[in-house]
Amino acid sequence: MEKLDLTKKYKTYFASKTKPEIVEIEPAQFISLTGKGDPSEKSFSEKIQALYTTAYTIKFMFKQQGKDFTVSKLEGLWWYDERKFAGITMDEAPKAIARSEWEYRLLIRIPEYMSENDVDQAIQAAFAKKKMELVKEIEFFRMNEGKSVQMLHVGPFSKEIETLQEMRKVIEENGFQKNGLHHEIYLSDFNKTEQSKLKTILREPVK
């Protein structure tokens, strides 16, 4: 049985260079959980645990059907109240806006052959086994980012501003406008990887 690896199938989506690049991102689907607040809080790690619990439940369900796949990387969409914090650029926001003000949507990408009904079944099975209330809040989520500017950030999250500054230059030089939410793909496990070695794709959908 051949195992599907989404990171190999969608290389533009899951790989980036250490300089800004303009890419076209295909539609994708995910399991997802939303939240608000500092990612160092316990609730953030609990949401990640609930997502992975469900992801592995889905994997087991489809492996039994002969459709095994590798559970994908954790991702996050991040945003804030743009009326309350008007005039702040994308590279200023990480320092100018308190982490308690940020909202987020955590994501794990799933294969295209899965339906919303499949996800609902997995959520029910995961809750029945683990009794985690957060599992019941998980959603099936679709996204089509299309044209985007992205760049690989290597190092701690606190240094993302430098990478975002480089990306903003490319966005401004091309006359692009914002067309979606700030997107991060965590190629490294940030709970186990030394901060200087963290690898994160930063993506900004544009038009």
Side-chain angles (χ1 to χ4, degrees):
M1 175 172 48
E2 186 177 352
K3 183 187 289 189
L4 172 63
D5 188 336
L6 295 176
T7 63
K8 293 178 179 177
K9 184 174 181 180
Y10 300 106
K11 292 181 180 178
T12 301
Y13 190 97
F14 287 106
S16 188
K17 300 172 183 176
T18 52
K19 61 181 181 180
E21 55 185 341
I22 301 167
V23 296
E24 193 69 31
I25 300 299
E26 70 282 344
Q29 59 184 29
F30 310 82
I31 54 172
S32 166
L33 261 178
T34 57
K36 182 177 181 178
D38 194 323
S40 65
E41 293 176 353
K42 187 180 178 183
S43 60
F44 188 78
S45 57
E46 287 175 341
K47 284 182 169 66
I48 293 173
Q49 184 182 2
L51 265 185
Y52 272 107
T53 295
T54 305
Y56 278 99
T57 301
I58 296 172
K59 172 184 168 68
F60 181 72
M61 282 172 49
F62 277 88
K63 187 175 182 179
Q64 289 182 316
Q65 299 173 28
K67 294 181 179 179
D68 195 12
F69 67 96
T70 301
V71 172
S72 195
K73 304 290 185 182
L74 179 70
E75 307 178 37
L77 301 178
W78 295 87
W79 69 97
Y80 53 85
D81 187 335
E82 293 188 16
R83 291 171 297 178
K84 184 176 180 180
F85 300 102
I88 296 175
T89 62
M90 59 183 269
D91 52 310
E92 294 170 339
K95 277 194 173 180
I97 301 169
R99 289 195 287 181
S100 59
E101 295 281 356
W102 287 82
E103 296 186 61
Y104 57 83
R105 178 183 288 278
L106 294 172
L107 306 160
I108 295 178
R109 188 168 177 173
I110 56 175
E112 286 68 31
Y113 55 72
M114 294 180 185
S115 67
E116 188 169 357
N117 185 57
D118 292 327
V119 171
D120 288 342
Q121 288 182 35
I123 289 168
Q124 293 171 21
F127 178 75
K129 187 174 182 180
K130 298 291 186 178
K131 305 300 182 187
M132 297 171 65
E133 289 295 325
L134 276 172
V135 165
K136 293 193 287 187
E137 296 179 21
I138 288 173
E139 303 172 305
F140 177 84
F141 182 73
R142 285 194 179 96
M143 181 166 63
N144 184 10
E145 290 176 301
K147 185 186 291 183
S148 301
V149 175
Q150 71 179 23
M151 181 173 169
L152 179 65
H153 173 74
V154 181
F157 297 126
S158 61
K159 297 281 188 179
E160 281 187 3
I161 290 173
E162 298 167 13
T163 301
L164 290 169
Q165 286 172 341
E166 291 188 55
M167 293 170 65
R168 183 161 71 95
K169 286 178 187 175
V170 171
I171 290 171
E172 291 178 347
E173 286 168 2
N174 286 274
F176 293 148
Q177 294 179 315
K178 180 178 178 179
N179 193 36
L181 300 175
H182 174 70
H183 186 177
E184 300 187 347
I185 302 175
Y186 307 106
L187 302 180
S188 313
D189 183 339
F190 46 73
N191 292 316
K192 298 177 180 178
T193 308
E194 184 183 325
Q195 287 209 358
S196 64
K197 296 179 180 178
L198 286 173
K199 292 183 177 180
T200 310
I201 296 174
L202 305 186
R203 180 178 296 152
E204 301 290 338
V206 295
K207 60 182 178 181

